[in-house]
Amino acid sequence: MPDSAAPASPTPSPGQGESARAVTPDTTRFVLLHTSHPGNVGAAARAMKVMGFADLVLVRPRFADVLAREETVAMASGAADILARARIVDSLAEALEGVSFACATAMTPRDFGPPTHAPRELLPRLAAGPHRVAFVFGSERYGMSNEEVYRCHACISVPTHPEYGSLNLSQAVQLVAYDWRQALGGFGVQPRVPDATLADGVAVQGALEHWREALVEIGFLDPAAPKKLLPRLQQLVNRAQPTAEEIHILRGIARAVQRAARKGRH
Amino acid sequence: MPDSAAPASPTPSPGQGESARAVTPDTTRFVLLHTSHPGNVGAAARAMKVMGFADLVLVRPRFADVLAREETVAMASGAADILARARIVDSLAEALEGVSFACATAMTPRDFGPPTHAPRELLPRLAAGPHRVAFVFGSERYGMSNEEVYRCHACISVPTHPEYGSLNLSQAVQLVAYDWRQALGGFGVQPRVPDATLADGVAVQGALEHWREALVEIGFLDPAAPKKLLPRLQQLVNRAQPTAEEIHILRGIARAVQRAARKGRH
């Protein structure tokens, strides 16, 4: 099913305008233990890359050639460079070379294991420190062994529904990569639409007065018994926070209404 | 590839202990437009469910039978109930029935479109309000059309690497579901390991003194020229924040060291 393996992005890259701001891939490492499904390795690479991480290490994956498998490459989509520089090693100890703080993502309780935190609780503190960090993910079926968890300095647990916490492996990688990137300061979101100039109160009142006249002219508003129509419209307009241009449009409509009403009277 | 389609969870459910705390699925709706890949629909259902959401609406998916396809069901894993109650409709307008605030996840700039926000900026404000919310996701290949974006009250854009923002559709659903759940108050993370009793300062000093003696006995520490060994050990122990039980173990080791040293001397 190569057809469905590499869905194109629903969220295309913001484009060249932003690329002037060079971003060095973070040195954070992602370690996948004994991964069974090539698709997950590819999806994890893509999930890392969208958050600006590039260091992927696999510990004894089920398939020794997983990095070159068609399904892996298809699910990695544009993240083939992450696969190209990924390493396969024999043990978690090797995978953690050069790392000073390892976060396990095991969710089941371990006696004597490191303390468990929500990512958004631990990661900002960790980002403020001097650590070279690795995030370690267990196999799809069995998670992490006790021995693997014991090597880690903390466990992080993504808060999920108490009765259904079954996160897919690559989804877990995506959430942790996102929270870690946010903790590191995040990437910006470009306001895609330039901020419009909001209309000032005088312009709004002018438009409302214009509409009051038009509504009287077309017989919708009885000036002798106005009820609460104007205050209601006022509230509606206030909530909408119209721009200067929108007020201009509203006055244009009022003007057209008046013209039509006058024509009808002749 | 049913073998690799439904990887079991690396993060098993926290178990029955927590299920006493009943959690009603939120009424938030997730709308997928013109989705091509059945696997994405299944993975989206699973991503919603782990965050406690259950209302999935598909607008004109590529395959009319997508909810029943083998790949969809496989990728949904334990979220078959979400597929069972999902609806297929003909238009975004229908999909948004009953919704008072629709968030587009389109990332490309639209003139006259609604303002774009980072999820963590908009969602807490939205959660504090009275809205019935929908999150709308465009197709894998083409995202959302202008007309579809215009129907929405806001755009949210997950901040990704400026040069590679290609989020997989189901990963985008996962991130938005997570941020929205967090904005709604989140699920708890159960501390899986009961908090240990930290050792008090007296116990720590006692152990250090014990070790000082042992180190002298084995000739590692020269009491006439102690240099900075003890302050260094003190700092190390302070950073480790040992528990009472760990101090007990450290003293046991010191005792054993002394015994061995004395045996050697006889």
Side-chain angles (χ1 to χ4, degrees), chain B residues 125-144:
Chain B
R125 287 189 283 133
L126 192 55
H131 284 295
R132 297 181 304 280
V133 175
F135 296 103
V136 183
F137 297 82
S139 77
E140 292 94 333
R141 195 146 306 213
Y142 303 107
M144 292 178 68

Side-chain angles (χ1 to χ4, degrees), chain B residues 63-83:
Chain B
F63 302 109
D65 65 345
V66 63
L67 292 168
R69 288 208 166 199
E70 185 183 326
E71 197 187 341
T72 312
V73 173
M75 287 301 286
S77 190
D81 54 324
I82 309 295
L83 297 179

Side-chain angles (χ1 to χ4, degrees), chain A residues 5-9 39 41-47 49-50 70-83, chain B residues 164 166-168:
Chain A
S9 170
V41 173
R46 180 173 177 180
K49 186 170 179 179
V50 293
E70 185 183 327
E71 197 186 341
T72 312
V73 173
M75 286 302 285
S77 190
D81 53 324
I82 309 295
L83 297 180
Chain B
Y164 184 74
S166 171
L167 265 175
N168 165 273

Side-chain angles (χ1 to χ4, degrees), chain B residues 208-241:
Chain B
L208 279 170
E209 174 54 26
H210 197 155
W211 268 96
R212 196 193 59 75
E213 289 170 16
L215 294 174
V216 170
E217 286 192 44
I218 61 173
F220 187 82
L221 177 66
D222 177 1
K227 302 190 181 146
K228 290 289 180 200
L229 183 62
L230 265 298
R232 279 161 190 265
L233 291 180
Q234 170 93 66
Q235 283 305 302
L236 176 67
V237 171
N238 283 357
R239 281 202 311 278
Q241 299 204 289

Side-chain angles (χ1 to χ4, degrees), chain A residues 94-265:
Chain A
E94 277 177 79
L96 294 182
E97 234 174 69
V99 164
S100 67
F101 196 101
C103 289
T105 54
M107 300 291 183
T108 39
R110 318 287 167 129
D111 291 339
F112 316 114
T116 300
H117 308 270
R120 294 196 187 173
E121 188 263 308
L122 175 67
L123 298 187
R125 286 188 285 133
L126 192 55
H131 285 294
R132 297 181 305 281
V133 175
F135 296 103
V136 183
F137 298 82
S139 76
E140 293 94 333
R141 194 148 306 213
Y142 303 107
M144 293 178 69
S145 72
N146 283 346
E147 290 64 34
E148 288 162 343
V149 172
Y150 294 164
R151 287 199 171 265
C152 295
H153 299 73
C155 284
I156 51 177
S157 169
V158 174
T160 50
H161 193 286
E163 282 155 36
Y164 185 75
S166 170
L167 265 174
N168 165 274
L169 171 58
S170 72
Q171 301 281 31
V173 169
Q174 185 69 79
L175 289 180
V176 169
Y178 175 47
D179 267 347
W180 181 233
R181 172 55 60 199
Q182 290 286 310
L184 291 171
F187 295 128
V189 169
Q190 210 182 15
R192 319 283 165 158
V193 178
D195 278 350
T197 314
L198 293 183
D200 67 12
V202 173
V204 172
Q205 290 312 313
L208 278 169
E209 173 55 27
H210 197 156
W211 269 96
R212 197 193 59 73
E213 289 169 17
L215 293 174
V216 170
E217 286 192 45
I218 62 172
F220 187 82
L221 176 67
D222 177 1
K227 300 190 182 148
K228 291 289 180 199
L229 183 62
L230 266 297
R232 279 162 188 265
L233 290 180
Q234 170 93 67
Q235 282 305 303
L236 176 67
V237 171
N238 284 357
R239 280 201 312 277
Q241 300 203 286
T243 63
E245 201 185 333
E246 288 163 346
I247 287 295
H248 193 71
I249 294 170
L250 291 177
R251 292 195 73 146
I253 297 173
R255 208 157 27 237
V257 168
Q258 290 176 310
R259 260 199 305 271
R262 285 164 199 172
K263 212 176 263 172
R265 281 204 298 276

Side-chain angles (χ1 to χ4, degrees), chain A residues 1 3-15 18-25 37-40 43-44 46-47 49-53 62-63 71 75-79 105-120 138-144 157-172 174-175 178-179 181-183 186-193 245, chain B residues 1 3-15 18-25 37-40 43-44 46-47 49-53 62-63 71 75-79 105-120 138-144 157-172 174-175 178-179 181-182 186-194 245:
Chain A
M1 37 150 269
D3 175 39
S4 66
S9 170
T11 58
S13 171
E18 262 179 296
S19 68
R21 172 184 154 210
V23 176
T24 320
H37 302 303
N40 278 339
R46 180 173 177 180
K49 186 170 179 179
V50 293
M51 293 302 161
F53 303 112
R62 179 170 164 203
F63 303 109
E71 197 186 341
M75 286 302 285
S77 190
T105 54
M107 300 291 183
T108 39
R110 318 287 167 129
D111 291 339
F112 316 114
T116 300
H117 308 270
R120 294 196 187 173
S139 76
E140 293 94 333
R141 194 148 306 213
Y142 303 107
M144 293 178 69
S157 169
V158 174
T160 50
H161 193 286
E163 282 155 36
Y164 185 75
S166 170
L167 265 174
N168 165 274
L169 171 58
S170 72
Q171 301 281 31
Q174 185 69 79
L175 289 180
Y178 175 47
D179 267 347
R181 172 55 60 199
Q182 290 286 310
F187 295 128
V189 169
Q190 210 182 15
R192 319 283 165 158
V193 178
E245 201 185 333
Chain B
M1 34 148 268
D3 175 39
S4 66
S9 170
T11 58
S13 171
E18 261 179 296
S19 67
R21 172 185 155 209
V23 176
T24 319
H37 302 301
N40 278 338
R46 181 174 175 179
K49 186 170 178 179
V50 293
M51 293 301 161
F53 302 112
R62 178 170 165 204
F63 302 109
E71 197 187 341
M75 287 301 286
S77 190
T105 54
M107 300 290 184
T108 40
R110 319 285 169 131
D111 290 340
F112 315 113
T116 299
H117 308 269
R120 294 196 188 174
S139 77
E140 292 94 333
R141 195 146 306 213
Y142 303 107
M144 292 178 68
S157 169
V158 174
T160 50
H161 193 287
E163 282 155 35
Y164 184 74
S166 171
L167 265 175
N168 165 273
L169 171 58
S170 73
Q171 302 281 31
Q174 185 70 77
L175 289 179
Y178 174 47
D179 267 346
R181 173 55 60 200
Q182 290 286 309
F187 294 128
V189 169
Q190 212 182 12
R192 319 282 164 159
V193 177
E245 200 186 333

